[in-house]
Amino acid sequence: MPLPNPRITTPPRTGRGFTIIELISVILIVGILSAVAIPAMSSLRSTRASAAAKLILRDVSYARERAITTGCRSWVVFGIGTNSYSILGEPIGAPGRANAVTMKDPATGNSFTQSLNASEFAGVSLVSAVFDSGAEVGFDWTGKPLNSTAAPLAAQGVVTLTGGKSVTVQPGTGFTAAP
């Protein structure tokens, strides 16, 4: 029987530990994944703010188009404290801002109220909504913007969201943009 070579002996493996190579490999992989995931997660809030700005732009434009189409004033009322806004319409037989009621979303049939800082807009809040001296904008039958007293909007109206995103409404024309 041949004698074992003392230079080629290996320690017995118990199967309970990891080699240093395995540990370094795992740490390296976790580091690479973290380096990729952290910037992606931080850009998620910016993406949500952009999506919220586009939604506000669409809804304000819808209120303007509805006023032109029906000949009845429409209003977009922003609630900064509640991080929400609603689209109101004045009834045909009872005009006036005081008589305006929340409209139904034609796509869903639900009340036209949108809440931010929840679900797909988590982390996005209304910072301000300034339309002359109020937090609401209306549109007359020609599409011209009105302030909360139903007078023509004197200065550019701005809705600002977290992340520096904003939506503007131009006086006179009612042109709406999200720069």
Side-chain angles (χ1 to χ4, degrees):
M1 173 174 216
L3 294 171
N5 188 345
R7 294 183 189 167
I8 306 180
T9 60
T10 58
R13 282 195 54 125
T14 60
R16 295 185 189 191
F18 297 103
T19 66
I20 191 73
I21 300 295
E22 291 171 330
L23 290 174
I24 290 173
S25 298
V26 169
I27 291 170
L28 185 63
I29 291 170
V30 168
I32 291 170
L33 291 175
S34 296
V36 171
I38 290 173
M41 290 178 66
S42 65
S43 70
L44 181 61
R45 180 169 288 166
S46 177
T47 302
R48 287 179 177 176
S50 293
K54 288 178 184 176
L55 180 67
I56 292 171
L57 173 69
R58 184 199 70 180
D59 290 345
V60 171
S61 295
Y62 171 76
R64 181 176 181 267
E65 292 167 10
R66 184 221 179 247
I68 293 169
T69 303
T70 64
C72 296
R73 289 187 286 196
S74 297
W75 298 87
V76 183
V77 180
F78 293 91
I80 304 303
T82 60
N83 281 317
S84 64
Y85 64 92
S86 298
I87 299 179
L88 310 177
E90 294 181 7
I92 293 174
R97 168 64 181 90
N99 296 327
V101 295
T102 304
M103 295 180 359
K104 299 279 184 192
D105 184 344
T108 64
N110 296 330
S111 178
F112 220 133
T113 299
Q114 180 65 48
S115 296
L116 301 177
N117 204 12
S119 62
E120 70 266 26
F121 300 116
V124 179
S125 299
L126 282 168
V127 174
S128 66
V130 180
F131 298 95
D132 291 344
S133 61
E136 60 187 69
V137 62
F139 296 96
D140 67 11
W141 67 275
T142 65
K144 292 183 179 174
L146 309 169
N147 62 24
S148 59
T149 64
L153 193 63
Q156 175 177 292
V158 180
V159 178
T160 306
L161 303 170
T162 53
K165 303 297 181 186
S166 64
V167 176
T168 60
V169 177
Q170 299 300 319
T173 63
F175 178 74
T176 308

